[in-house]
Amino acid sequence: MKRKIVPALVLVSATLLTFSGCASFLAGLFSEVPGASAPAAVMDPLDGYVFAYIEGSSGDYHVAKILQPASPATKNQAEVLDMGQSGGRKWAQVFTSHPADKSELAVGEVVLVQGSGFSDPDTETLRATTWTAYYITDISSLFKGEVMAGSIMVPIKHLRIPDTEIAVR
C-alpha cells in the first residue's frame, strides 16, 4: 500500500506546483535526470561557409566554400567556390562571420547586410545573395529587434558580424 501512495504524492505535488506558478522549481528538480538532454542549439545556415571579397564581381561580399586554404604562397588568398549568381572558382580574401546578437550591436560596429532584400535567415537565399558591409548608425530601435545599418533599417535576424576586421566599401 505504501508503494502506491508515494508515486501518487509525487504526481499530486508536481501538479500543485505547476498550477501554483512553480514550474521552474519542477524543471530544476528534473533537470538532472539521467538521459535528459539540453535544447538543441540554433543552426547557423552559413556554418562551414566563408565570406569572400571577389575583385570585379557585382556586390561586395559573396558567400563561398573554401577549395584551397589561403597561404603565403597564394598571397593569403584562398581558392573558393562562389555560391552566388556568378558561381565558379575564384581566388579571394576570405573571412568568417556569425549571426548578430543584440549584445554585440553598437553604433560604429561593422555588420553584413543581405544585398537583395531580406529572405528568411534559414533559406538557401542566404548563400546565393551578395552581402554589403555597413556601419551601425543608430540602435534606438534595438528593443524592437532592429538597427540602422548605414541608412537602412534592418531586422537583427538579417545581420551578420564579421569575425575579423573588414573594409566597409
Side-chain angles (χ1 to χ4, degrees), residues 98-128:
H98 61 274
D101 183 79
K102 278 185 179 182
S103 65
E104 56 190 341
L105 299 175
V107 172
E109 179 74 34
V110 175
V111 292
L112 293 164
V113 179
Q114 282 178 267
S116 58
F118 301 124
S119 65
D120 290 333
D122 59 351
T123 66
E124 193 63 32
T125 306
L126 289 178
R127 295 181 188 112

Side-chain angles (χ1 to χ4, degrees), residues 16-166:
L16 288 173
L17 286 171
T18 299
F19 289 112
S20 67
C22 298
S24 60
F25 173 76
L26 278 177
L29 279 177
F30 296 107
S31 65
E32 307 238 350
V33 174
S37 60
V42 177
M43 278 284 290
D44 179 358
L46 296 182
D47 190 31
Y49 292 86
V50 295
F51 278 88
Y53 177 72
I54 299 172
E55 293 279 339
S57 294
S58 63
D60 291 321
Y61 295 101
H62 295 233
V63 176
K65 268 287 202 200
I66 292 181
L67 301 174
Q68 179 180 335
S71 70
T74 62
K75 298 184 181 178
N76 293 323
Q77 291 189 359
E79 184 179 19
V80 297
L81 178 61
D82 183 0
M83 304 308 289
Q85 294 174 351
S86 61
R89 292 172 170 246
K90 311 266 187 334
W91 287 93
Q93 299 288 334
V94 298
F95 62 92
T96 58
S97 69
H98 61 274
D101 183 79
K102 278 185 179 182
S103 65
E104 56 190 341
L105 299 175
V107 172
E109 179 74 34
V110 175
V111 292
L112 293 164
V113 179
Q114 282 178 267
S116 58
F118 301 124
S119 65
D120 290 333
D122 59 351
T123 66
E124 193 63 32
T125 306
L126 289 178
R127 295 181 188 112
T129 190
T130 56
W131 293 69
T132 304
Y134 290 100
Y135 290 108
I136 293 178
T137 55
D138 184 1
I139 60 169
S140 62
S141 294
L142 189 59
F143 71 97
K144 295 180 189 177
E146 57 189 23
V147 297
M148 185 76 73
S151 60
I152 306 166
M153 189 60 77
V154 184
I156 294 169
K157 70 180 183 178
H158 296 291
L159 297 175
R160 294 190 68 85
I161 304 287
D163 294 330
T164 58
E165 198 171 311
I166 64 167

